[in-house]
Amino acid sequence: MYLARSYLLQAILACGLCSGLPAQVTDRADTSPAVGTRLTQACEFGKQLVGEESLLVVPENRKQADSRKISVHYFRFPARLPSGKAPVFYLPGGPGDAINSSDIRNGLRRKNYSKYTELLAFNKYHDVIIVNQRGNRKAPGVQRLPRAWVVQPGARLKPLVYEEKGKRVAEGLQLAIQACARLQFDLKGYDILHLIDDVEQIRRVHGYSTICLRGSSFGSQWALGYLQRYPERVDRMVLSGVEPLSHTYDSPTEIWKVFERIEAEVKESGTIELPPEGLLGALKAVLTRLEKQPVRVTGQHPRRGGSTEIVIGMDDVRFYLTRPILDAPLYSRRMRELWPHLVLELYREDYQYLAAKIIDDRPELSHPDLLLALVDHSLGISDQRLKELEQGPARRWLGDVNWLYTATRKSTPPPEVSDAFRELKTSQTPVLMIHGTLDLMTPYENATQLLPAFPRGKLITVQGGTHIACQHAAVVDPQFLRYLTDFMNAAQPADTLKEIPETITLPPLKFQPLQSGSLFQELTQ
């Protein structure tokens, strides 16, 4: 496959496109490939997935007749047993996620359930197409965007304040946009509508009359956008970690509901002694205390040692409530199991763990994803939803969870879609959704609010599941993959929904006392 990659890039160069570099202004006639040209190299991953890796030449900005050309990278794996069934288009999340050959190879080696488990199963009877987002530096191609922009760090002896950090974020984004202009990028071409039309162009190139869509997180939003724009082309959809088109901005109230569910499990377990006001009452006390008076703490660097003073404020706590804890990723159930310890240590005014995290993070430059900002701002938010989020009861405690969007809204070149495009419309497209009740990245209510728009749809609620609810569900229900493949393979997919459970319940979270006594000690062991 590495050899295949080198041949593909040689083909790009031979055809007049320059991999990863901006177009150069010359006096010569444009000899680059025409729009619709495919640069293709055969690829195989053992005997499991056999097909081709391609770059499709597309306009950077479809609204400009003289737009320069860029490429969209994708894989196509013809069905192992051709059946005439509609192909499955897999749409990665992010925005900014991608799937390359190394990801596929490593994914197929994993024994645990993953997206590659699904793709391999779907590929038995369906062509499988993996479409990467235009401009993505994680995928091969030409005219790839800078991956991120640079945000200057905050002052060590000042607490985090979302509004102030937002100003630094906005300044860094403007510098990145100016740099892209010097490199001749037309950033108006990096929006949700161009991503949707890239999928449509790939469909047309291969002559598919209809397609199935599989998306998770932003991938589900991308799929819903394609359905909105080309409803007659969608055969069925499987969506997880669901994001409706109107829900790019998260709801603090729905995030708070995740915390309420964690608190309920703590009480049910009886393994952690809570203060009289409960776990969330303790969190409110911490936030109220720091709102009145930020605290100066002498903390230790977790990796390099040595101590230094920092100031911790209300937004510092808010920020780290939805970040990994110790070695537990945000999408892990272990992060939820450790979350009560974080809250209760802060309640007892033990700031050592939080101080160590801030000392490790605050002096560093941050690098937000540029493609994420461009695409997400093109989805935007309606005035009605913005008002709902600002007036929600949890806003008092979690603040502006969308502070990065708030700081940079209206400052990116791609136009924002209309309210009509974001609006939920009733669709007869069969859809199977999977969503976890402890998802902090795309709250569970996203799915429950979307489901009524699909009379021929079904939601599998994964009780205790996070943003990777499919992986969680597959662990406790050996039939989970069969639910998805039966739905994809059936001549009448809506009929299969009757056989699929509405709920898959995971074991309770395990709230255990920390072996060393504190998160900081665990961090520095």
Side-chain angles (χ1 to χ4, degrees):
M1 188 57 202
Y2 290 113
L3 191 59
R5 173 69 52 78
S6 67
Y7 285 157
L8 183 58
L9 294 181
Q10 287 176 28
I12 298 170
L13 294 169
C15 290
L17 290 174
C18 184
S19 175
L21 298 175
Q24 302 296 315
V25 178
T26 71
D27 295 329
R28 295 181 299 173
D30 183 4
T31 58
S32 60
V35 167
T37 301
R38 279 198 312 133
L39 307 175
T40 300
Q41 171 64 48
C43 67
E44 61 180 37
F45 300 89
K47 295 182 180 180
Q48 294 173 291
L49 289 174
V50 179
E52 59 191 22
E53 182 179 14
S54 298
L55 295 176
L56 178 64
V57 179
V58 297
E60 185 172 41
N61 184 347
R62 289 185 170 90
K63 293 184 178 180
Q64 294 293 331
D66 59 347
S67 174
R68 72 173 179 176
K69 305 176 186 81
I70 63 172
S71 66
V72 173
H73 174 262
Y74 68 99
F75 292 95
R76 178 175 175 268
F77 301 104
R80 299 192 299 277
L81 297 175
S83 62
K85 298 181 186 297
V88 176
F89 275 58
Y90 182 85
L91 307 180
D97 290 350
I99 295 177
N100 58 40
S101 58
S102 295
D103 296 326
I104 297 174
R105 184 180 300 106
N106 294 333
L108 291 173
R109 289 172 181 162
R110 292 177 55 185
K111 296 182 179 180
N112 296 335
Y113 187 97
S114 71
K115 64 174 73 83
Y116 306 102
T117 310
E118 293 181 9
L119 296 178
L120 191 60
F122 295 153
N123 189 229
K124 183 175 183 179
Y125 297 117
H126 302 259
D127 292 2
V128 167
I129 295 88
I130 303 170
V131 183
N132 282 318
Q133 299 150 20
R134 57 168 49 209
N136 196 322
R137 292 200 68 84
K138 299 175 186 176
V142 297
Q143 310 300 358
R144 294 180 294 169
L145 288 170
R147 183 171 176 180
W149 78 91
V150 177
V151 179
Q152 295 299 318
R156 180 172 53 84
L157 290 177
K158 288 187 178 181
L160 170 64
V161 176
Y162 283 157
E163 186 175 356
E164 293 178 3
K165 184 167 184 177
K167 293 177 182 177
R168 298 196 304 275
V169 166
E171 290 169 359
L173 178 58
Q174 287 308 305
L175 291 175
I177 290 173
Q178 293 167 16
C180 287
R182 291 194 296 272
L183 294 172
Q184 303 176 23
F185 283 100
D186 185 347
L187 295 183
K188 292 181 179 179
Y190 298 87
D191 66 349
I192 186 61
L193 296 183
H194 276 83
L195 295 185
I196 291 167
D197 288 345
D198 290 341
V199 173
E200 172 63 7
Q201 190 161 347
I202 293 171
R203 182 200 66 78
R204 292 200 308 265
V205 162
H206 291 284
Y208 297 124
S209 58
T210 59
I211 62 177
C212 308
L213 295 170
R214 173 65 175 106
S216 183
S217 194
F218 168 72
S220 70
Q221 206 172 31
W222 190 0
L224 290 165
Y226 184 89
L227 175 68
Q228 191 83 312
R229 200 159 168 85
Y230 301 104
E232 73 284 356
R233 297 299 182 188
V234 181
D235 183 80
R236 67 197 74 184
M237 302 190 298
V238 175
L239 310 177
S240 56
V242 181
E243 280 193 275
L245 290 168
S246 58
H247 283 43
T248 299
Y249 286 53
D250 289 328
S251 164
T253 298
E254 290 161 8
I255 292 173
W256 190 262
K257 288 179 182 178
V258 176
F259 298 155
E260 290 177 337
R261 293 175 189 127
I262 294 174
E263 180 181 46
E265 287 211 39
V266 171
K267 291 178 178 178
E268 180 71 21
S269 73
T271 56
I272 297 178
E273 184 177 353
L274 297 177
E277 58 264 64
L279 184 62
L280 296 189
L283 176 56
K284 291 178 180 179
V286 171
L287 294 169
T288 302
R289 182 199 312 152
L290 294 175
E291 182 180 33
K292 293 178 179 177
Q293 182 62 57
V295 61
R296 184 181 290 241
V297 177
T298 299
Q300 296 182 26
H301 195 289
R303 292 179 291 110
R304 296 197 294 265
S307 60
T308 188
E309 278 195 338
I310 60 161
V311 176
I312 297 175
M314 188 181 192
D315 282 345
D316 285 297
V317 172
R318 288 168 164 169
F319 182 81
Y320 284 95
L321 287 174
T322 54
R323 292 299 181 274
I325 301 176
L326 296 177
D327 59 350
L330 181 57
Y331 55 77
S332 69
R333 279 168 50 88
R334 175 163 165 75
M335 182 268 181
R336 279 80 177 151
E337 293 168 347
L338 292 169
W339 194 83
H341 292 287
L342 174 62
V343 172
L344 294 175
E345 285 187 4
L346 296 174
Y347 178 71
R348 296 192 298 266
E349 300 188 55
D350 177 356
Y351 297 103
Q352 287 305 300
Y353 172 78
L354 182 57
K357 295 295 292 183
I358 294 171
I359 290 169
D360 199 16
D361 294 344
R362 187 178 289 173
E364 304 296 330
L365 298 172
S366 57
H367 299 85
D369 192 289
L370 181 57
L371 187 59
L372 181 147
L374 297 174
V375 175
D376 277 358
H377 277 313
S378 73
L379 280 159
I381 187 171
S382 68
D383 291 341
Q384 178 181 348
R385 177 159 171 86
L386 184 61
K387 184 177 180 180
E388 290 171 357
L389 299 189
E390 290 175 343
Q391 295 179 350
R395 173 73 178 239
R396 164 73 181 89
W397 303 111
L398 296 182
D400 185 2
V401 298
N402 303 292
W403 62 270
L404 189 147
Y405 292 152
T406 300
T408 54
R409 190 185 183 201
K410 308 294 186 184
S411 64
T412 50
E416 185 174 322
V417 298
S418 66
D419 286 350
F421 183 82
R422 287 185 289 253
E423 182 183 354
L424 290 176
K425 297 180 177 64
T426 301
S427 171
Q428 295 303 317
T429 301
V431 59
L432 177 61
M433 291 186 277
I434 307 98
H435 214 119
T437 57
L438 299 184
D439 191 337
L440 284 166
M441 301 172 75
T442 53
Y444 171 67
E445 286 71 21
N446 284 8
T448 60
Q449 293 167 18
L450 183 64
L451 185 60
F454 292 94
R456 301 175 70 199
K458 185 160 193 171
L459 167 63
I460 301 177
T461 296
V462 183
Q463 290 286 353
T466 72
H467 200 55
I468 55 171
C470 291
Q471 287 90 318
H472 296 316
V475 171
V476 300
D477 188 341
Q479 299 301 312
F480 178 73
L481 180 60
R482 183 177 64 80
Y483 304 149
L484 273 59
T485 54
D486 284 355
F487 176 77
M488 280 294 192
N489 295 338
Q492 299 295 328
D495 293 343
T496 67
L497 298 179
K498 303 171 186 176
E499 309 301 321
I500 296 175
E502 293 185 354
T503 303
I504 296 175
T505 302
L506 305 184
L509 295 173
K510 297 179 180 178
F511 303 105
Q512 299 176 351
L514 295 174
Q515 293 181 355
S516 61
S518 75
L519 290 172
F520 176 73
Q521 289 171 325
E522 292 268 344
L523 180 67
T524 54
Q525 279 184 348

